[in-house]
Amino acid sequence: MANLLAAQGGRPLRDGLADLATWLGVTLVAGSALWVVADVIWHGVGAVNWGFVTTAPQDAGRAGGISTILVATFLVLLVCMTAALPLGLGAAMYLSEYGRGPMGRWVRRSLDVLAGVPSIVFGLFGAVFFVQVLGLGFSILAGGLTLACMVLPILIRTTEMAFSGLPQEYRAGAAALGFGPSGILLRVLLPAAAPGLVAGLILGVGRALAETAVLIFTSGYVDRMPDSLLDSGRVLSLHIFDLSMNVPGGDHNAYGAAVVLLLILLVINGIGGWLSRRWIGRGIVAS
Amino acid sequence: MIRLDTTGPTPAEPPLEGATAVPHSHSPDSDATVPYVALDRVGLSYDGTEVFRGVSLPLYRGAVTALVGPSGSGKSSLLTCINRLYELHPGARMSGTITVGGEDIHGAGADPVRLRRRVGMIFQKPNPFPMSIRRNLSLPLSEHRLPRAEWSARIEEALTAAALWDEVKDRLDHPAQALSGGQQQRLCIARALILEPEVLLLDEPCSALDPLATEAIEQLVMGLKCCYTMLMVTHNLAQARRVADQVGVLWGQGQPGELVEFGPTAQLFDDPQHPVTVAFMQRERA
Amino acid sequence: MSRPLADKWFRWGLLASAALSGAVVVLVVLFLLVASWPALADLGPGRYLTDTRWYPSGGLWGMSAMIVGTLLSTLGAVLLAAPLGILSAVFCHYYAPARMATLYRRLVELLAGIPSVVYGLWGLVVLVPIIARWHPPGTSLLAAILVLTLMILPTVALVADSALGQLPGSQVAGAYALGLSRAGVIWRIAVPAARRALATGTLLATARAIGETMAVLMVCGGVVNLPTSLFEPIRTLTANIALEMSYAEGLHRSSLFVTGLVLVLAVVTLVTVADRLGEEPTGG
Ligand SMILES: Nc1ncnc2c1ncn2[C@@H]1O[C@H](COP(=O)(O)OP(=O)(O)O)[C@@H](O)[C@H]1O
Ligand SMILES: [Mg+2]
């Protein structure tokens, strides 16, 4: 009896401690998240104006803006997605429709491993394979292609999920109308899976935009306006890194670039969400 | 052209209700004395497990054949043999022969795509594609490379034949999935009709619909009867009696299904021969 | 082109895309192997552990300080992030009202979406000076741990969140019916039942911490140093690659590829174990 009472006496205290720990931990996490974001906005918003995004960097980036950086970033993303999208789409269709055999298992397994490879290692790979072996040099092309290797797993996984999530009735319905495999996939399933594909694309672009380590040894540091895809070009995230680490007095513009980067990510995610909602709203997606 | 009562080239005379003879014997159309679709000792197995076996069934042009039986007896699977849709399942094997219009569906030079253009199918759950009404209908046309100039005429014709035109003509570009269940099912019928098939397979087309929509589909099936060879799976015996000219009972409980009885509708309902049919009719009536 | 022919080409196209996608990882490992071969053949793997210092131009190849740096920063970050991530998930499921839980999840997703250079920038400009005021120089193991914690926390939190969401409601209701308090239900029933998923999330987070480069590079100080306290600067393996790759030649460059190979092995092992854990049924 005495034991029972003691246990009951101890319980509220322990429960109270558990509750306290939870609230403390959550406050800490939320506080840190807000701190990081608020700090970047606080320091960076002053640097951002129309001139900042339309003029080229000067004095190693301390002065001037980020126009050439934005162009290089856009080009790297373009190369990355041009390479990764068709490849990823084809692979995802293969996996969702024919991927139950040994070949499908092998591809899935490889992609799982690829998804785990650290980004700096992709950088090493790109520096040998695209830059040296394929002779692309430090270039937007080399950087974009290396980046494509990195986003491939996430692109394929989301796309495959979008396809295999479609009701079996669409396949049977199309087949019953005499559609061949390519007709079923390209004309019926592809449009039906479009919102999922957009989500995958957005995720991939987001990953690619945030990436730095892959590009240090592949697309390079040059901050001039790139003349062609074989020119070196410095992407936004690498610009932030370089300004804050290697350029004394570059913090101000580093923060400005960080705000722009966060804004672009926000806008891209917003567009992605809006697109899928619009699709669903028009009833084009089975709900 | 989509064949309808009014426009069909040689509409077969609808078989008389309650006739004792098989319906085709009443038809003046010489075609109708030979089954348009004939199943000969057809069986199907999934991954080695037999679903049904030894089903022989004649389907006549201008007649609706109803297929009834407990769920799981293989009725849907039987339909998928006729348009070779069972081939979508890698483990499925069919035995026996099926001829459509005299041609063996597995014969030399037979092609599932050509077969499926001749044999339309309507599913238990309406399955319009997640696109606009118009796109649902134009997609099969473009897949089969029919001239774009004909599209709009064909779309109107198919929707009219499916008794849907008046309801949707002003919103062809609206999403198909915003339609009611009954409208969706009629859209699926229109989508099958637009390829001008000769045979229609209907797999419990009303089971997901309310009574009013069910009646509309039944009317539609009766209207289409003249010009198509139709096989309709139904759970609803009263519906089979209203719509069908001949009825088959597929039965299999715990063992591969078999066609235990087959004959003209009236005979099957008024004077069932097989004890299983008798029991089934009684159970379903209760 | 006829339809059957088009379909045939189409299938071949899909197969080729799949094969090429699957081959990327083979290509990556192959080129890592080729590029690290000179160092592996000339130096052998042992030198990296037995040499006392990292001084490539002087023929000293000791990486132990950087290995320890990587391990300590990862360990510290996981020790902080795992409990915080689990608390986050517990909070969303058992404490927060629906709207607050949604808001909080958004915040965690935001944390997951911030690029690593931005964490690095914040760490360098905000966190490091704070640590420096307390204990110079500021760029330190501690800074690396804190920045890494923020970066990997969402991984644990999101996995834990979905694991707690999948627990059958009857189990929780049953626990309440036994008269357990909220904290009792959480820590005696819910969290133990989700332990497999929590382990999976923690392993994935560990893998992420080991492979992370930029943010750590920016706040760790970059000094090859066996740390004796949290306030000393360190250099991780990833930072080493990023710092030296641009000028390394010969065996030095090759050694950096050996590091890359080791990182891949470590991370892939962790991810594989995590996947295995995740596949088997939770609880039990
Ligand atoms: N794709 C399939 N793979 C394996 N078994 C199946 C498949 N489709 C149906 N079956 C099995 O075949 C039997 C008949 O199914 P079905 O044709 O749908 O019957 P019904 O339409 O009469 O209800 C059922 O036992 C079902 O489990
Ligand atoms: Mg069925």
Side-chain angles (χ1 to χ4, degrees), chain B residues 12-26:
Chain B
E13 201 179 289
L16 296 173
E17 265 297 319
T20 44
V22 282
H24 62 272
S25 62
H26 289 266

Side-chain angles (χ1 to χ4, degrees), chain A residues 169-170 175 177-178 187 282 284, chain B residues 116 130 142-144 175 177:
Chain A
E169 282 98 53
Y170 294 165
L177 288 165
R187 289 157 172 267
R282 277 172 52 195
I284 299 250
Chain B
R116 288 169 195 163
S142 103
E143 171 75 9
H144 294 293
Q177 295 186 322

Side-chain angles (χ1 to χ4, degrees), chain A residues 92-172:
Chain A
M93 286 186 187
Y94 179 84
L95 289 178
S96 81
E97 305 304 310
Y98 311 107
R100 274 165 293 277
M103 175 72 184
R105 269 199 300 279
W106 174 73
V107 172
R108 256 184 268 267
R109 188 97 203 90
S110 302
L111 288 171
D112 283 349
V113 175
L114 194 65
V117 171
S119 55
I120 187 88
V121 174
F122 279 106
L124 287 176
F125 164 70
V128 179
F129 184 68
F130 292 113
V131 174
Q132 288 186 343
V133 174
L134 296 189
L136 300 177
F138 284 104
S139 64
I140 287 171
L141 201 54
L145 291 176
T146 315
L147 213 48
C149 296
M150 193 195 82
V151 298
L152 210 48
I154 189 166
L155 215 56
I156 294 176
R157 198 172 299 166
T158 44
T159 309
E160 190 200 344
M161 261 161 55
F163 272 101
S164 50
L166 293 174
Q168 199 60 38
E169 282 98 53
Y170 294 165
R171 291 181 182 81

Side-chain angles (χ1 to χ4, degrees), chain A residues 14-15 19 23 26 29-30 35 39 91 94 109-110 116 120-121 128-129 132 178 180-182 217 237 244 255, chain C residues 3 7 10 15 17 21-22 31 91 95 104 107 117 122 124-126 181 188 213 218 245 253 257 264 267 272:
Chain A
R14 236 185 20 220
D15 287 359
D19 290 355
W23 282 102
V26 163
V29 172
W35 187 8
D39 171 71
Y94 179 84
R109 188 97 203 90
S110 302
I120 187 88
V121 174
V128 179
F129 184 68
Q132 288 186 343
S182 64
F217 334 122
S237 52
S244 58
Y255 268 111
Chain C
R3 255 271 311 279
D7 274 335
F10 177 71
L15 180 66
S17 321
S21 306
F31 276 92
F91 175 74
Y95 285 84
Y104 186 76
L107 213 59
V117 266
W122 173 78
L124 191 62
V125 179
V126 177
S181 64
R188 284 157 187 259
T213 310
M218 290 166 84
M245 181 64 189
R253 183 179 153 93
F257 279 87
V264 170
V267 167
T272 310

